[in-house]
Amino acid sequence: MPPFVAARPEEILLPVRPWFIVLTLLVGLVANTLPMSGMALTLKPDFLALVLLYWCIQEPRLIGVGVAWCLGLMMDVVDATVFGQHALAYAVLAYGAGYFRRRVLRFPLWQQAAQVAVLLLLSSGLVLVVRIAGGAPPPRWTYAVGSLTGALLWPLVTVLLQWPQRPQRSPSER
Amino acid sequence: MRHLPVEPPPFFHRGPSPLTRLAVFALLSLALLFTDTRYRYLENIRRVAAIVLYPMQRIVQMPGGALAYVGTYFSSQRTLADDNAALQAQLLSQAPLVQGYPAVEKENARLRGLMKLETRIPVDATAAEVLYSSRDPFTQKIFVDKGEAAGVQAGRAVIDSVGVVGQVTRVYPYMSEVTLVTDKDHAVPVKVERSGVRTVMYGAGAARPPELRYLSPSVEIEPGDLLVTSGIDGTYPAGLAVAQVVSVERETGLSFAHVTCKALAGIDNSAQVLILGSTASVPPRPDEPSDPAAPRKGRGRRKG
């Protein structure tokens, strides 16, 4: 079995450990606070949104709209944005993930990435509408780039986060 | 062998439907958005959260800092020599100005004394390093590594080696938030250095250049003019370079000229900035006019 391939839909994964979910979400939050400016800042995806999306799709019983909303509030503090901006985006993202999860998992990874791109663009578009309605100036046209790089990273995120859950095959099965 | 869970965990067993949950949380977010933009009630929550998150942020920034340090260690002797030569040349070119300055300063003080003008307060300053820029694409903010512990207060002007960067807007114990002059509706009182015309420069967000509003079409201003702070707001000391005029459109049909400018300071790329101390000596607000009729009438009408 090649190491860096995602699980097929029919493959049964080991149960996830809750501390691993917490740890990865924390890593996502920390990755979002990386100091960046210029080009890197434009390209930077929302890591926390990606990790959150993954767990919303894989473990909808543990991670849902409520957890996403709380994480969004934390992100608002870290970014010093207006309170509720990330919270709204993540809540919508979590709901979208819950809605689409059964369908998304049926597709190969790169097609999943396309659907993830739509979800990310939707949630950032909603934030755009709300903020502009609140009197914010229109951002640069590069506003959507982060969502697209996020979608490109989706296969990598999936494979990495799935890694501890892949069952260890016995040598005879190989 | 592990057993698969037979029944769902009781936590989410009989919760409200996802759509209900989304509606509740979306409404909560909208309420928060509204309260925060309108009333700014939530500053204290933000403060507490920022203190909790601060050590984590510093730890995250350590590898980058270490990498940069190692990078400077390996910078070639050639680059260092070039840098050194450039700095020497710069120092030499500024020498006449610097050497003449004390004499001019003294003369200025004497003249001001003769004319009974307020003396200019010498400004003290704190050097600070830019930690990161805000990821919020709707605002123009940076974070610097000096906060309350270093005596920084909200409202201080921030400059770099070229010009005004912005103004400190939030102070945390160990860092502070600087709103850039290009942020939407951030106003800097400026004057045109060449002609002395006083006006106010308004930022317009990341996507558009800052502009000068409400200037009559006949005003003496040309593309290329330097805008310096006029110092009349008590926030920015007078005479700091702010921006350069890029375009001036005078259309006969409009009552105001449309003037756009370009901020001089390395808004997006300066790594070190200077937080200026208080300019002090702001005269007290004038007393309420003794005749109560005139101003109150207007206020009352607006309320009603």
Side-chain angles (χ1 to χ4, degrees), chain B residues 12 16 24 28 38-39 70 80 84 86 94 147 192 208-209 248 294:
Chain B
F12 280 124
V24 168
L28 260 176
R38 280 295 144 84
Y39 303 110
V70 173
L80 285 179
N84 211 339
Q94 287 171 352
V192 181
R208 283 177 291 175
V248 181

Side-chain angles (χ1 to χ4, degrees), chain A residues 69-167:
Chain A
W69 190 78
C70 295
L71 282 169
L73 276 193
M74 285 169 77
M75 206 52 232
D76 283 330
V77 172
V78 173
D79 268 9
T81 47
V82 180
F83 256 121
Q85 175 182 329
H86 281 95
L88 179 66
Y90 288 176
V92 169
L93 206 61
Y95 176 75
Y99 193 79
F100 285 119
R101 59 177 291 269
R102 287 197 178 77
R103 202 183 68 184
V104 169
L105 286 177
R106 290 276 128 199
F107 286 96
L109 274 183
W110 62 271
Q111 285 180 10
Q112 284 182 22
Q115 305 190 28
V116 165
V118 172
L119 278 179
L120 290 173
L121 283 173
L122 261 180
S123 83
S124 64
L126 187 68
V127 168
L128 183 72
V129 169
V130 169
R131 283 304 299 273
I132 286 186
R140 289 198 179 95
W141 65 271
T142 49
Y143 179 65
V145 172
S147 303
L148 296 179
T149 41
L152 286 181
L153 279 180
W154 176 254
L156 185 69
V157 169
T158 305
V159 169
L160 281 180
L161 293 184
Q162 228 168 39
W163 185 247
Q165 279 179 267
R166 306 294 294 277

Side-chain angles (χ1 to χ4, degrees), chain A residues 39-61:
Chain A
M39 194 63 187
L41 189 66
T42 311
L43 285 176
K44 182 156 90 164
D46 192 337
F47 294 106
L48 182 57
L50 277 181
V51 177
L52 188 67
L53 203 53
Y54 175 82
W55 289 124
C56 283
I57 288 175
Q58 292 288 339
E59 299 290 335
R61 281 177 192 157

Side-chain angles (χ1 to χ4, degrees), chain B residues 129-206:
Chain B
E129 205 153 316
V130 177
L131 290 174
Y132 57 95
S133 37
S134 169
R135 269 168 44 84
D136 185 13
F138 300 100
T139 54
Q140 295 282 96
K141 283 171 184 167
I142 55 173
F143 290 82
V144 297
D145 69 344
K146 291 282 158 59
E148 237 161 47
V152 177
Q153 287 168 4
R156 296 293 171 81
V158 178
I159 62 171
D160 71 357
S161 58
V162 196
V164 173
V165 171
Q167 182 183 351
V168 176
T169 42
R170 276 195 194 115
V171 185
Y172 303 114
Y174 295 102
M175 62 181 192
S176 37
E177 178 199 275
V178 178
T179 301
L180 305 178
V181 287
T182 48
D183 193 48
K184 196 202 174 200
D185 289 338
H186 183 119
V188 186
V190 293
K191 66 180 183 193
V192 181
E193 195 194 35
R194 184 173 55 86
S195 59
V197 175
R198 269 198 306 273
T199 173
V200 179
M201 188 183 86
Y202 291 91

Side-chain angles (χ1 to χ4, degrees), chain B residues 49-285:
Chain B
I51 294 169
V52 174
L53 287 168
Y54 177 77
M56 196 185 75
Q57 286 178 323
R58 287 319 292 255
I59 290 170
V60 173
Q61 283 154 14
M62 258 176 211
L67 220 67
Y69 181 76
V70 173
T72 54
Y73 187 78
F74 285 109
S75 70
S76 72
Q77 198 197 345
R78 174 90 212 179
T79 351
L80 285 179
D82 285 355
D83 276 1
N84 211 339
L87 289 174
Q88 289 281 4
Q90 202 184 349
L91 196 64
L92 208 60
S93 72
Q94 287 171 352
L97 294 175
V98 174
Q99 285 161 19
Y101 188 72
V104 174
E105 184 87 314
K106 229 175 261 173
E107 189 182 321
N108 196 2
R110 201 159 46 81
L111 288 174
R112 276 174 177 271
L114 282 177
M115 295 170 75
K116 304 228 178 347
L117 286 176
E118 189 102 12
T119 45
R120 286 169 71 169
I121 308 289
V123 183
D124 59 332
T126 320
E129 205 153 316
V130 177
L131 290 174
Y132 57 95
S133 37
S134 169
R135 269 168 44 84
D136 185 13
F138 300 100
T139 54
Q140 295 282 96
K141 283 171 184 167
I142 55 173
F143 290 82
V144 297
D145 69 344
K146 291 282 158 59
E148 237 161 47
V152 177
Q153 287 168 4
R156 296 293 171 81
V158 178
I159 62 171
D160 71 357
S161 58
V162 196
V164 173
V165 171
Q167 182 183 351
V168 176
T169 42
R170 276 195 194 115
V171 185
Y172 303 114
Y174 295 102
M175 62 181 192
S176 37
E177 178 199 275
V178 178
T179 301
L180 305 178
V181 287
T182 48
D183 193 48
K184 196 202 174 200
D185 289 338
H186 183 119
V188 186
V190 293
K191 66 180 183 193
V192 181
E193 195 194 35
R194 184 173 55 86
S195 59
V197 175
R198 269 198 306 273
T199 173
V200 179
M201 188 183 86
Y202 291 91
R208 283 177 291 175
E211 57 188 7
L212 306 178
R213 296 177 192 164
Y214 316 124
L215 273 182
S216 105
S218 61
V219 81
E220 177 61 38
I221 191 167
E222 294 294 331
D225 278 352
L226 189 69
L227 300 175
V228 297
T229 49
S230 63
I232 51 175
D233 60 342
T235 297
Y236 295 103
L240 301 171
V242 181
Q244 199 162 27
V245 176
V246 172
S247 74
V248 181
E249 287 169 37
R250 297 182 167 99
E251 282 183 40
T252 41
L254 300 173
S255 30
F256 299 114
H258 184 239
V259 184
T260 56
C261 357
K262 185 180 180 303
L264 286 174
I267 295 288
D268 289 330
N269 47 27
S270 51
Q272 274 97 22
V273 294
L274 213 55
I275 302 171
L276 299 183
S278 70
T279 49
S281 82
V282 180
R285 286 186 70 83

